[in-house]
Amino acid sequence: AIDAAAAVSALAFFGDDLLVSGGDDGKLAAWEVTGQKLVGNYLEGGPIRSIAPDANAARGDRGVFAIGRANGTVDVGTFAVENGRPNFTSTKRHQLSEGPIQALAWDPSGLCVAGGADGQLFVLALDGSSRAIAPGGDGGIRAVAVSPNGQIFSSGWDWDGRVWSIASGEQVGSFRDQSSVHVLATSPDGRAFVAGGDWNELTIWDA
């Protein structure tokens, strides 16, 4: 086990052996999984609630990432391994909400989707612009996922999930499960999405 020294709210892999965590201490901590040791702390700020690398960064290659914080901000930055050490550089901070940003996901074109505890969805572009998609879910958004064909799946504390077009911002569908949905994932080919929550089952839908 790794002693994280603080409550952990978010995890993500940046390559096979680099695990990144964030939590109440507001630090982005990078861990070497094999040696179970801390590589470094980065980008200290408000408590972290979500972390999302893009597809390149998730493989351990040069890429981009996003961090959602309890103060409603999202840090977007670049990731690279330089001289054998990871480097996280924040390039833009978006103040999106007054409540925590609890969910983040990237789409293949480089857009980042953020879900807030206020029930609002946001789409962030790498040029620094952002736009709101309203509203994403009653009682706050718990999970978001983005399919390769540009659809956003969002869920909150209510039982109703929503499907959005990332291009137009319009709602294009919905889904309802047996309880509140906590986690969402889409298949790489965009043909299916999966939800999990309080009911001890995984539900699979055609996208």
Side-chain angles (χ1 to χ4, degrees):
I2 296 174
D3 181 6
V8 176
S9 302
L11 291 169
F13 272 96
F14 287 68
D16 293 333
D17 198 45
L18 186 68
L19 177 66
V20 174
S21 66
D24 289 348
D25 62 359
K27 299 175 183 178
L28 193 71
W31 308 88
E32 181 189 291
V33 175
T34 300
Q36 297 191 7
K37 65 180 182 180
L38 180 67
V39 177
N41 289 310
Y42 305 84
L43 307 179
E44 187 169 354
I48 294 172
R49 294 294 176 260
S50 50
I51 302 169
D54 76 347
N56 291 329
R59 291 192 297 267
D61 299 331
R62 180 180 296 272
V64 295
F65 65 91
I67 306 169
R69 298 187 185 269
N71 61 5
T73 61
V74 173
D75 294 335
V76 176
T78 58
F79 165 80
V81 176
E82 300 173 346
N83 298 319
R85 292 184 61 85
N87 184 41
F88 298 85
T89 304
S90 179
T91 57
K92 178 69 175 179
R93 173 165 290 180
H94 301 262
Q95 182 68 56
L96 299 181
S97 173
E98 295 182 357
I101 302 298
Q102 301 179 136
L104 294 165
W106 289 90
D107 93 324
S109 70
L111 297 175
C112 180
V113 178
D118 59 359
Q120 183 73 61
L121 274 174
F122 302 89
V123 178
L124 312 177
L126 292 179
D127 63 6
S129 62
S130 63
R131 56 186 170 91
I133 298 176
D138 295 334
I141 295 174
R142 295 288 304 273
V144 294
V146 183
S147 70
N149 58 5
Q151 288 186 325
I152 303 169
F153 301 86
S154 68
S155 63
W157 286 99
D158 59 353
W159 294 15
D160 294 315
R162 296 166 173 83
V163 186
W164 311 84
S165 164
I166 200 168
S168 68
E170 297 180 353
Q171 184 173 343
V172 296
S174 62
F175 57 97
R176 183 175 177 83
D177 223 315
Q178 304 172 53
S179 183
S180 58
V181 174
H182 298 172
V183 290
L184 290 167
T186 59
S187 62
D189 61 8
R191 298 174 62 184
F193 68 99
V194 183
D198 293 332
W199 63 100
N200 302 333
E201 293 180 355
L202 297 173
T203 307
I204 304 173
W205 283 278
D206 293 333

